[in-house]
Structure formats: C-alpha cells, structure tokens
Amino acid sequence: MSHSLNAGQLLDEELLRYARQILLDGWDIDAQLRLKASRVVMIGAGGLGCPASETLVRAGLGYVHLIDDDEIEASNLQRQTLFLPDDIGKPKALTAAQMLTRINPLIRARGTVARLSEDNAYELLDIAVAKPDLLLDCTDNFATRDIINRISVRYQIPLLSASAIAMQGQLALYEPHLHTGCYHCVFGSVAVDAVADERTCANSGVLASTTAIMGNLQANAALQYLGLTKNPLTNKLLIWDGSQMQQRLMGYRQDPQCPICISH
C-alpha cells in the first residue's frame, strides 16, 4: 500500500528530480515507481538513520517512518547529518522527519518518539494498515537489534540491519519469508555476547565517516531491494573496515536450531 500521491505515475517534477537515476542502466521508470510506492520503517534516527534516510528520500522513497526516543545532543552533531546546533534538545525522530520533507517535499516522512518493543510493534509499525516493505535497523546496540530481529521474524518483514562503531561496520539484509536465516542465526543471543551489547558509539567512539559510509551502504541495498526487487546481500554479511579501507563478504546460513526463525 502506497502512502504517496499518484503512486501509479511519476509527476513532472519527479521526472525532473530523479532524471539522472532513471537514466541508469538497470534502473528505469518502473524501478522509480516501485520505490515511490514503497513504505519503510526505520528504527533509529541517529548516525546511521540520518544518512540512510536522507539518501533514500533524495532518491524518491515514497514513505519513511522514523522511530526513535532520543533527543539531539551536542555530541551527535559530529555525524548525525540531519541536525543543526539549534536542534539540540529536540526529539530526533520528529526533527529528522521535518528535515527530510524539506529536502524532498515530494515524499512523506513521519517521526514517532518511542522505543520499539515486541509489545508495541504491531501498533507502531501500522501492521493493521499494511506491513512495511522493509525494516531498517539503524540502532547502536546488540539488545535492540535482537528485539528488531524478533519483530521482523514474527511479522515476516524483511530486515536491513546495519551497525557502525569506531572505524568498522557490518550490513545484512534478512528475508524471513525465504527461511534463509536471521540476525540471531549470525550473531547468537544477547546473553551469549553481553560484551558486544556494551559497545556503543557513546562509550566506544565512532569516526564521522563510518556512520556516513555504512548508512549509505544501507541505503544502497534498500534501493536495490525496493526498486529492483533484488537482495544484493542474500546470505551474506558485509564487513567494512575503514582503518584498512577493506570490505569483504562473509557467507551465512540459517541455524537449524535457531530459537527465533526456525519455527516460523
């Protein structure tokens, strides 16, 4: 279900705005229309959420819903590119949504100040209306990612999960309806990896370019998935190392004993 006006066609101003994209080999009017009709929910409007959402909105994503319960702090301005000094103290989700509609008035952006949980997911994700086409995990801790993964599997919503810390990042696109594995299959449980949960940008630091690069890699995968119906990361975990300027892909498969996705 589209949240954009005239979803079945491109307006003249859209054709002009997205002209360079539509000229691409492999990306045509149909791809642009699919992107326009797409509905994305993004959890986290910080270091990853800002660049990912901005690129998607500039490219013509029809509808984005940002969910975040944090307020903007001075330390966020180093990397969270939708915010300005005057925004300190304001809610991230609402401020980001307002900026996105200023960047591209042809799209719809919504912000919700809340912390997503298994209990409120059905309501926050508007599943009664229509399931999102894609969930973007732009959070910064293991425990929250585990919850988002459970929601993805429970409601069978594709999950594009990114992480960024220091000068390193990871990216994967899970499709629960294909039974190819989930976040838990790759990373295990919070209880097993409590140390990973303690490492966040707040206590471990992050280079400004790390979140910018990983957020845009996340947007790149989302554009291909939504516009071209292609998963460029099927059963692959992308690992990026900024200190060595290296990127590699690591294969994974569904854990036959996964307590999260094996029974769905």
Side-chain angles (χ1 to χ4, degrees), residues 7-133:
Q9 61 183 357
L10 293 178
L11 306 175
D12 289 344
E13 52 262 54
E14 290 173 318
L15 288 169
L16 180 62
R17 182 181 284 255
Y18 311 131
R20 297 297 183 272
Q21 195 160 277
I22 294 170
L23 285 172
L24 283 171
D25 287 339
W27 188 283
D28 53 16
I29 294 287
D30 288 340
Q32 195 66 45
L33 283 170
R34 282 191 290 269
L35 184 62
K36 179 179 179 176
S38 294
R39 182 171 176 267
V40 165
V41 174
M42 183 172 294
I43 302 97
L48 290 167
C50 284
S53 63
E54 181 175 348
T55 294
L56 288 172
V57 159
R58 287 185 183 276
L61 172 66
Y63 177 87
V64 59
H65 180 191
L66 301 105
I67 301 173
D68 196 309
D69 66 341
D70 285 344
E71 293 183 348
I72 300 161
E73 301 176 358
S75 61
N76 300 149
L77 302 180
Q78 165 247 10
R79 65 198 176 281
Q80 299 183 15
T81 52
L82 294 177
F83 309 136
L84 301 172
D86 289 346
D87 296 323
I88 292 172
K90 297 178 182 177
K92 288 184 180 181
L94 300 181
T95 307
Q98 291 169 0
M99 180 62 80
L100 291 172
T101 55
R102 288 181 62 193
I103 288 170
N104 188 352
L106 301 174
I107 61 90
R108 286 191 60 196
R110 172 186 170 195
T112 298
V113 182
R115 180 175 290 270
L116 185 69
S117 70
E118 291 186 77
D119 292 334
N120 65 18
Y122 188 86
E123 179 181 0
L124 282 183
L125 302 182
D126 289 328
I127 290 174
V129 177
K131 287 197 298 186
D133 296 297

Side-chain angles (χ1 to χ4, degrees), residues 137-192:
D137 175 6
C138 301
T139 61
D140 69 351
N141 68 85
F142 191 92
T144 305
R145 292 188 202 114
D146 186 67
I147 291 171
I148 296 169
N149 179 64
R150 291 171 185 270
I151 293 167
S152 163
V153 172
R154 179 178 178 181
Y155 295 110
Q156 298 288 284
I157 306 170
L159 171 61
L160 180 52
S161 180
S163 65
I165 198 160
M167 296 180 70
Q168 299 177 333
Q170 297 176 344
L171 182 68
L173 175 47
Y174 307 102
E175 297 180 89
H177 62 288
L178 297 181
H179 307 289
T180 51
C182 71
Y183 185 91
H184 191 280
C185 292
V186 178
F187 294 101
S189 68
V190 175
V192 172

